[in-house]
């Protein structure tokens, strides 16, 4: 049945995962987006390389940022946020409504194999405004695990979550089906 003239047709919803996987050069360079309303994903990358991405400032309505890590590229040993990611997150919290940082890990085939999300509660935002950054800046150091046994990995993750939660952050780790989070990166099961 043809649509009536002047009436907008609804487009099928595309998930953030699908948009990320379909982005240009997804296997070659990192990419970035900001998210405002549900379903909105706005490209924000201004300079892209295999190991970093620079982003434009978020809009007032944006509440989270998403960027990719290419796990198989040199320089990225972790799926979790880097110290640079954390510093950018702190800067965005101070000057915008951004409260959540998502890091999506992309494999060599261009598939998102998992993501790590860090959310700042009002308590964390208050600490950041008071210039208390130590808890969130210590997070990348928590990712270094000398012992790769499952017990050491679980213990390190538990310590990171406890330290962050104490200061008003929540850390969520979501591997895609067929993957697990081990030694601070997503790997095949």
């Amino acid at each position: 049945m043809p649509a009536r003239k002047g009436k907008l047709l609804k487009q099928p919803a595309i998930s953030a995962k699908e948009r990320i996987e379909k982005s240009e050069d997804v296997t070659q360079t990192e990419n970035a987006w900001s998210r405002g309303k549900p379903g909105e994903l706005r490209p924000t990358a201004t300079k892209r390389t295999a190991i970093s991405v620079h982003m434009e400032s978020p809009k007032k309505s944006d509440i989270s940022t998403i960027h990719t890590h290419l796990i198989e590229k040199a320089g990225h040993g972790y799926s979790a946020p880097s110290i640079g990611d954390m510093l950018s997150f702190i800067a965005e919290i101070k000057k915008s409504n951004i409260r959540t940082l998502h890091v999506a890990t992309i494999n060599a085939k261009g598939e998102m194999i998992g993501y790590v999300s860090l959310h700042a509660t009002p308590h964390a935002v208050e600490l950041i405004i008071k210039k208390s950054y130590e808890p969130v800046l210590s997070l990348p150091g928590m990712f270094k695990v000398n012992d790769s046994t499952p017990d050491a990995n679980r213990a390190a993750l538990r310590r990171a979550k406890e330290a962050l939660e104490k200061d008003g952050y929540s850390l969520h780790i979501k591997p895609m089906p067929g993957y697990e989070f081990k030694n601070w990166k997503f790997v095949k099961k």
Side-chain angles (χ1 to χ4, degrees):
M1 172 193 258
R4 291 191 306 181
K5 189 173 183 175
K7 189 170 183 167
L8 293 174
L9 297 176
K10 287 192 174 187
Q11 296 294 319
I14 298 174
S15 71
K17 180 180 181 292
E18 290 173 300
R19 289 182 192 193
I20 290 168
E21 289 176 343
K22 290 179 180 181
S23 66
E24 184 181 342
D25 295 330
V26 69
T27 61
Q28 302 303 311
T29 59
E30 289 191 5
N31 208 342
W33 300 264
S34 285
R35 174 176 266 165
K37 300 179 272 193
E40 180 185 82
L41 200 60
R42 186 175 57 81
T44 58
T46 57
K47 182 180 177 189
R48 298 170 59 192
T49 72
I51 58 170
S52 68
V53 62
H54 295 272
M55 300 174 243
E56 64 186 44
S57 294
K59 290 183 178 179
K60 193 81 171 154
S61 60
D62 292 338
I63 57 171
S64 67
T65 62
I66 301 170
H67 77 274
T68 57
H69 279 185
L70 308 176
I71 199 68
E72 283 128 357
K73 291 286 180 186
H76 266 304
Y78 301 110
S79 297
S82 68
I83 192 76
D85 296 339
M86 303 309 277
L87 288 168
S88 294
F89 184 46
I90 288 168
E92 294 305 338
I93 286 172
K94 288 170 65 176
K95 66 181 183 182
S96 72
N97 291 319
I98 296 294
R99 296 297 178 261
T100 305
L101 165 69
H102 304 283
V103 178
T105 300
I106 306 299
N107 67 12
K109 295 178 186 174
E111 302 164 329
M112 187 168 85
I113 60 174
Y115 62 90
V116 175
S117 299
L118 182 66
H119 178 75
T121 66
H123 176 66
V125 172
E126 185 180 317
L127 289 175
I128 286 172
I129 290 169
K130 290 179 180 176
K131 296 185 172 35
S132 176
Y133 312 141
E134 294 81 15
V136 74
L137 288 180
S138 66
L139 183 62
M142 293 180 207
F143 299 148
K144 292 177 175 43
V145 181
N146 295 329
D147 181 356
S148 63
T149 65
D151 287 343
N153 189 55
R154 280 192 292 275
L157 181 56
R158 186 175 54 252
R159 283 192 309 274
K161 282 188 169 193
E162 287 170 359
L164 289 167
E165 287 170 359
K166 179 181 74 114
D167 289 303
Y169 295 90
S170 60
L171 178 68
H172 301 281
I173 297 167
K174 176 70 176 153
M176 294 295 120
Y179 289 86
E180 62 184 333
F181 192 70
K182 186 176 181 182
N183 296 329
W184 299 102
K185 59 185 168 187
F186 296 105
V187 294
K188 273 197 174 289
K189 284 185 177 180

